[in-house]
Amino acid sequence: MDKLNEIAVIVGIISAVSAWPIFKSIHSWWRKHQHKKSEQMVKVVTDANKPFIDAYEREHTAVITEIEKIKAGEIASLHDRVYQEGRRLLNQGWASMDDIDNFIHMYQPYRDLGGNGTGEAMGRRVMDLPVKEGTNTLVQEADRIHKEREEK
């Protein structure tokens, strides 16, 4: 009986070793089959969503184009205001704190939106003007209002 067990073990080992290439082939086939199914699923989902993706991309492009037009218009409008206010202050020869505050409120967004060098040149000239201080400026009043709000 021991001989029979030894023979069975030897046959089992030989069978397992010789069957390994078959199992490996089956496993490789299964992986390829699963991969092909996955690729088919991705294609089906992609094809089904293509009209939505295309519509989104067209709408996105249209929105970006519209935003760029609005931005260009805003830059032009702010450039005009910066230029007009700058010319007024330069002709006046001086600026109050309120004038400077007003100018900065126009100039900062203009510059941040990508305004060109003429606005920057105007901004530098305005900032170089002598400042005449009044007894009660809007800037000082605004500071008082902010402090009052903070105290509440």
Side-chain angles (χ1 to χ4, degrees), residues 88-97 99 129-133:
R88 184 187 75 76
L89 293 172
L90 290 175
N91 286 336
Q92 179 175 286
W94 57 272
S96 70
M97 288 302 295
D99 292 332
L129 285 172
V131 176
K132 288 191 179 178
E133 189 62 55

Side-chain angles (χ1 to χ4, degrees), residues 39-54:
E39 285 178 340
Q40 288 171 343
M41 182 74 74
V42 167
K43 184 176 178 351
V44 166
V45 170
T46 300
D47 290 347
N49 285 318
K50 183 142 180 51
F52 300 113
I53 292 169
D54 291 345

Side-chain angles (χ1 to χ4, degrees), residues 49-122:
N49 285 318
K50 183 142 180 51
F52 300 113
I53 292 169
D54 291 345
Y56 169 79
E57 286 175 349
R58 281 191 306 274
E59 185 66 25
H60 181 261
T61 300
V63 168
I64 294 300
T65 301
E66 193 66 22
I67 288 171
E68 289 299 321
K69 289 177 185 176
I70 292 168
K71 179 181 171 185
E74 189 61 28
I75 289 172
S77 182
L78 285 168
H79 180 272
D80 180 60
R81 285 296 300 130
V82 163
Y83 195 78
Q84 283 183 26
E85 183 63 7
R87 294 281 297 206
R88 184 187 75 76
L89 293 172
L90 290 175
N91 286 336
Q92 179 175 286
W94 57 272
S96 70
M97 288 302 295
D98 289 343
D99 292 332
I100 297 294
D101 183 62
N102 181 53
F103 187 84
I104 289 171
H105 276 82
M106 286 184 294
Y107 175 73
Q108 287 290 348
Y110 166 77
R111 188 190 71 206
D112 293 346
L113 285 170
N116 67 14
T118 58
E120 186 173 343
M122 182 63 76

Side-chain angles (χ1 to χ4, degrees), residues 30-41:
W30 181 252
R31 279 192 343 209
K32 287 177 186 174
H33 178 71
Q34 289 299 94
H35 183 70
K36 188 175 180 181
K37 280 176 60 176
S38 293
E39 285 178 340
Q40 288 171 343
M41 182 74 74

